[in-house]
Amino acid sequence: MHEWTVRYGEELPAEAVSVPHAWRQDVPVSWEGPAIYETTLAVPQRGGWLVFEGVSYAAEVWIEGALAVRHTGIWDAFSVSLAAHPGKLVHVEVRVWKNGGPTYPVRDVASGFLPFVFHTFGGIYRDVWLFETRDDPLADFPNARPPRIQVDGTRLLLDGKPFLMRGVLHWGWYPETGHPNPLEETVRREFEQMGALGFNTVKCCLWVPSHRWLELAAEAGLAVWLELPLWDPAAEHLDAMGRELERIVLEFRRHDAIVCWTVGCELSESTPPGFRQTLVERVRELTGCPLVKDNSGGAEMYGGDPREFGDFYDFHPYCDTPFYPVVLDSLLPGSRTPLPTLLGEFNDIDVHRDLPRMRSERPYWAQSSEELNAIGVRWQHDLPGVLETCRFAVDPEAARHEALHRSSLEKAAFVRRSVQAAVRSRPSIGGYVVTGWRDTPVSSSGMIDDWGELKPQLGAAEWNSPTLMFLIPRRRPPWIAGGNRPGWVDASSHFAGGVHVRLGAHSEAGHSGEVEWSAVDFAWRGERRPGGRIAQGRLPAASVEPLSAGELGEIWFEAAEPGGVLLRVRWGGAAQHWPLWIVEPWSKDAAAQWCRYDPPGRLDDIAFGEAGPLVATRVPPDLEDRVRAGARVLLLLEEGPVVRAPFWRESAYEFLDDAFWARVGFADHWERFLPVSGDCVLDLAALLPQASWQTWMNRVDTRTYAEAPVLAHATVGSGRIIATTLRPDGGLGAQPVGVTRNPSGAALLRALLRELE
């Protein structure tokens, strides 16, 4: 608007700046201010008003040396009267303090989540306007428009049409500007990227975007879920934060792109039920919106007082992949009041970053300098140290950085496809918000990377589409301890012979058509030609109603030889494909030459001999002596010398013996690992500290970059040992129970036994 200067202290010289502006590397990141902004402006003859759209956090506005206004709050606008200076040239001084320091601690004010992503920001970070009016432009905010969203039982309608909320989580992280008010070209670009990935909603998680940002979202056809910036607040400051949240709602309710409101996020013990209830009722009153919730994530997942308020169920299931189906089932409404169920955050998967590039470019938010990147209130601050010491950053070629990067992206794509299929097969779930939009200093689960570029191989156009087909898992409840327990058979792996697949689909608007399918080789053993067609067929025409899921039919074909088969399906213009793995059946005498030590009974469905090499699910008391004397031992560990770690979340994997993995055939085929993945890693130093271990499968934590083996081999004396936390017997979440029910597990166990023959 006008020319501005800023001083970072009374005695320091003024620097010319452009407003919007936030101080960044100009001063240490922990400095709270005040920064002193100054400008000169000509007041209209009729007087007028100066409107600040956003200042973080506290502002004093002085006109001609007199204090005109004090304001606190990051996200709402405020105005300053110029009526006393008609037609004059006046000096304007704005003193700004940011939150995060001793004056305004993060949890004492409505800071949102950005301080936990990087740090707080300070400055006049939104536009400043001069209005030539006698009346205060902010005295009477426009009313909310009639709501575009409607609720029909458990289903949503948007503008009268069936609506499946396919959302992405946005934390307002814009490192290029250092504040959540980016350039318009940046916003247009990210909305275009979101649309290309199939998203129809963006959730502003604990931050409030500018009015222009919301207008651009509407132009792009994106709905907005606005989550007010209440997270882990200090209880003694709740009343002040509640008043600030109400001001935000009054100012922003006019945007019809906003179709959903939440008062806060994962509030647990920090907010009493009366406070939350009052805010929900007030937001409903001010907006007329039929989708308002007090606590995204909910007390059932995050604790606190179990009384909740609002118009929908909202959960944040962050599960390891085998557990998603059973956790989702546990969150369905059942006999509860029929309301829409939305997954307000979920399905994150951190990938291996481009550490070499980051080490070369050294962005301010990844540096070790306290002035540039103090830890603040973050609970995780690993990246600066990782860039200094991690082999993938320091010596990427020797560490095979590119291979790990590619593998982790492929794994992420598989995880998201699998999880979305589980969600879409449960039509009472009315929408979801995938975590998240952009990589941040504390996570690498974004759709776009640290430089704002779309990540390759995510496959979101498939798993995030309005119509999605999926394979329906086959049920196989095992008989254990005198009765049945829940059990399934993996839909992606089959014993050689007849392959049976049930095909399901979910559609936002409804879909119908004839089903055509074919099965072709894509990996093989023996004489089969890659790409050769094994079978093909048609199913009767099938339809799925809007916002419903149903079975399209059953597919059956013969596959007598082990190998990989690509199942391709077309249905009324929709097309998808799935890799299926055909494995040799488990024979009754496959382990007859082995004996076992299996206190928990994990291998009860397998026949073992009385002597020979050992398969053990616990560390036998005489392990070292046995191996030194020449024994061969396979350890399948879930307790003892192990450390708990998720297999799928926050991890990438190195497959370190190419010859071994060529024989086993599992490396980077993630659908083969889903039925056998564990929930821990090996502690080899505690297992056999004197052994010279060779790691065959290495877990790399994609946040801390700690490393730990999942599968390892050692020669001790004249004996040999293989240890792993992989589970040929499955049993976690929706995994098959038992080796003989688990084709992938049978193939893995057979391969490991052969390595020790």
Side-chain angles (χ1 to χ4, degrees):
M1 174 184 100
H2 291 81
E3 295 181 353
W4 288 84
T5 62
V6 67
R7 288 181 288 140
Y8 301 112
E10 296 281 3
E11 306 302 324
L12 296 178
E15 304 174 16
V17 294
S18 296
V19 170
H21 174 269
W23 64 79
R24 299 170 62 196
Q25 290 76 53
D26 306 300
V27 292
V29 69
S30 297
W31 185 72
E32 69 172 1
I36 304 163
Y37 291 87
E38 295 176 273
T39 191
T40 301
L41 61 86
V43 178
Q45 291 294 335
R46 299 172 59 195
W49 292 82
L50 201 57
V51 172
F52 293 81
E53 282 200 8
V55 179
S56 178
Y57 162 75
E60 291 182 352
V61 183
W62 298 71
I63 308 294
E64 287 294 295
L67 178 62
V69 164
R70 284 193 180 97
H71 178 268
T72 56
I74 300 171
W75 313 104
D76 64 311
F78 64 95
S79 55
V80 182
S81 174
L82 301 173
H85 310 281
K88 295 180 181 178
L89 194 66
V90 298
H91 176 258
V92 178
E93 178 183 303
V94 186
R95 293 175 171 255
V96 179
W97 293 259
K98 75 169 187 171
N99 56 326
T103 308
Y104 303 104
V106 165
R107 290 177 172 86
D108 288 1
V109 302
S111 297
F113 196 67
L114 272 171
F116 301 88
V117 171
F118 167 64
H119 216 282
T120 55
F121 65 95
I124 305 175
Y125 77 100
R126 286 187 185 155
D127 288 320
V128 183
W129 303 99
L130 176 61
F131 286 87
E132 189 177 353
T133 61
R134 287 192 172 89
D135 297 326
D136 184 352
L138 304 184
D140 190 14
F141 288 111
N143 290 327
R145 300 179 185 181
R148 297 172 57 209
I149 197 83
Q150 294 89 40
V151 176
D152 179 14
T154 63
R155 301 180 178 187
L156 301 178
L157 303 174
L158 184 66
D159 299 327
K161 299 178 181 178
F163 179 66
L164 174 69
M165 182 181 285
R166 303 189 305 278
V168 63
L169 193 76
H170 199 311
W171 279 329
W173 170 241
Y174 291 102
E176 297 84 2
T177 59
H179 59 76
N181 184 24
L183 297 174
E184 184 168 316
E185 62 191 52
T186 300
V187 181
R188 289 186 181 277
R189 182 175 184 236
E190 66 180 355
F191 288 166
E192 182 179 345
Q193 292 169 321
M194 289 177 190
L197 295 177
F199 292 108
N200 60 19
T201 304
V202 54
K203 181 181 182 182
C204 297
C205 178
L206 297 166
W207 68 289
V208 182
S210 69
H211 292 288
R212 185 56 181 156
W213 194 98
L214 290 165
E215 291 165 359
L216 293 173
E219 290 178 16
L222 287 168
V224 174
W225 177 339
L226 188 58
E227 184 163 84
L228 297 173
L230 192 67
W231 195 81
D232 194 22
E236 62 270 24
H237 296 281
L238 283 177
D239 289 343
M241 283 186 263
R243 291 190 293 271
E244 182 178 343
L245 299 184
E246 182 171 332
R247 297 199 307 266
I248 294 169
V249 175
L250 278 166
E251 180 180 344
F252 286 87
R253 64 182 178 177
R254 66 180 174 86
H255 293 279
D256 61 4
I258 303 174
V259 302
C260 182
W261 297 79
T262 38
V263 167
C265 177
E266 299 172 5
L267 294 173
S268 62
E269 303 286 351
S270 61
T271 53
F275 174 79
R276 290 183 277 110
Q277 182 179 18
T278 298
L279 280 176
V280 166
E281 293 172 353
R282 187 61 173 147
V283 172
R284 278 204 201 107
E285 178 186 350
L286 294 176
T287 67
C289 182
L291 278 185
V292 181
K293 185 79 169 74
D294 62 332
N295 180 18
S296 191
E300 288 186 294
M301 296 206 79
Y302 288 91
D305 192 296
R307 288 169 288 180
E308 296 187 26
F309 310 93
D311 307 308
F312 57 97
Y313 301 112
D314 183 346
F315 303 109
H316 295 179
Y318 286 120
C319 314
D320 220 26
T321 309
F323 292 97
Y324 257 111
V326 290
V327 170
L328 291 175
D329 284 341
S330 76
L331 298 176
L332 298 181
S335 58
R336 294 170 178 82
T337 301
L339 300 173
T341 296
L342 303 180
L343 306 179
E345 296 177 25
F346 94 127
N347 202 1
D348 68 328
I349 174 69
D350 288 83
V351 302
H352 173 47
R353 296 179 189 264
D354 192 347
L355 295 181
R357 180 178 176 184
M358 193 174 294
R359 178 180 168 88
S360 173
E361 298 182 6
R362 298 285 180 153
Y364 65 91
W365 47 264
Q367 294 198 27
S368 56
S369 164
E370 278 288 309
E371 290 194 352
L372 298 177
N373 192 20
I375 186 171
V377 295
R378 284 176 284 178
W379 60 84
Q380 185 167 345
H381 195 49
D382 304 291
L383 201 52
V386 166
L387 294 180
E388 297 296 333
T389 61
C390 177
R391 59 191 173 96
F392 298 104
V394 176
D395 193 358
E397 186 171 346
R400 301 204 300 181
H401 151 74
E402 289 290 348
L404 187 67
H405 185 61
R406 181 178 62 254
S407 174
S408 73
L409 288 171
E410 291 171 352
K411 173 172 163 280
F414 169 76
V415 168
R416 287 199 159 114
R417 286 197 305 269
S418 300
V419 173
Q420 296 304 124
V423 170
R424 299 291 289 274
S425 66
R426 292 158 174 80
S428 61
I429 298 176
Y432 52 81
V433 177
V434 176
T435 308
W437 176 240
R438 182 170 184 165
D439 287 353
T440 74
V442 297
S443 68
S444 59
S445 63
M447 300 292 131
I448 62 176
D449 63 20
D450 291 301
W451 295 272
E453 300 294 335
L454 282 174
K455 295 178 182 176
Q457 305 175 56
L458 280 171
E462 175 188 322
W463 55 254
N464 205 28
S465 61
T467 295
L468 181 73
M469 289 181 279
F470 48 82
L471 303 182
I472 301 174
R474 294 172 289 158
R475 295 172 291 204
R476 189 70 60 84
W479 187 270
I480 299 174
N484 287 122
R485 296 185 183 180
W488 299 265
V489 177
D490 176 42
S492 295
S493 296
H494 304 258
F495 288 121
V499 175
H500 178 232
V501 173
R502 289 183 182 272
L503 185 66
H506 178 279
S507 181
E508 180 179 35
H511 200 81
S512 63
E514 190 176 68
V515 178
E516 303 177 21
W517 64 270
S518 64
V520 299
D521 287 335
F522 76 96
W524 75 102
R525 295 177 185 171
E527 300 300 321
R528 297 218 307 259
R529 178 173 60 85
R533 181 169 294 174
I534 299 174
Q536 61 182 353
R538 295 174 180 267
L539 302 178
S543 62
V544 171
E545 295 299 312
L547 299 176
S548 297
E551 184 173 345
L552 302 183
E554 300 179 53
I555 295 173
W556 174 275
F557 62 92
E558 293 288 336
E561 299 179 39
V565 175
L566 194 67
L567 177 64
R568 295 171 174 163
V569 176
R570 296 188 63 84
W571 172 50
Q576 281 179 239
H577 64 272
W578 300 266
L580 306 179
W581 292 91
I582 315 302
V583 307
E584 178 185 345
W586 184 267
S587 62
K588 292 183 178 180
D589 61 352
Q593 304 304 313
W594 290 72
C595 63
R596 70 165 174 164
Y597 176 70
D598 184 24
R602 289 172 53 188
L603 306 176
D604 281 349
D605 62 328
I606 298 176
F608 285 89
E610 297 298 324
L614 178 68
V615 178
T617 59
R618 294 288 188 273
V619 178
D622 58 347
L623 175 65
E624 185 169 359
D625 292 341
R626 183 191 292 253
V627 178
R628 287 191 182 280
R632 287 162 289 160
V633 178
L634 173 61
L635 289 178
L636 307 174
L637 296 180
E638 62 178 353
E639 291 186 7
V642 299
V643 178
R644 294 294 163 194
F647 183 92
W648 298 94
R649 296 190 69 235
E650 302 172 8
S651 63
Y653 290 90
E654 293 181 288
F655 300 95
L656 295 175
D657 186 314
D658 293 340
F660 167 78
W661 288 108
R663 294 190 296 272
V664 174
F666 271 61
D668 288 320
H669 294 301
W670 299 107
E671 64 280 347
R672 305 198 75 179
F673 280 107
L674 184 58
V676 301
S677 56
D679 61 357
C680 51
V681 293
L682 295 166
D683 183 351
L684 297 179
L687 176 57
L688 282 179
Q690 305 304 319
S692 179
W693 288 98
Q694 177 189 7
T695 297
W696 284 345
M697 185 174 180
N698 187 45
R699 182 186 188 273
V700 179
D701 190 297
T702 45
R703 293 194 177 184
T704 67
Y705 280 86
E707 300 183 33
V710 169
L711 175 63
H713 169 268
T715 299
V716 182
S718 58
R720 296 171 59 206
I721 183 171
I722 293 176
T724 185
T725 55
L726 295 173
R727 303 175 60 94
D729 54 310
L732 297 183
Q735 291 176 341
V737 178
V739 174
T740 58
R741 294 180 178 87
N742 191 348
S744 190
L748 175 63
L749 181 58
R750 187 164 38 238
L752 295 177
L753 295 179
R754 286 171 178 167
E755 290 297 314
L756 290 172
E757 288 178 352

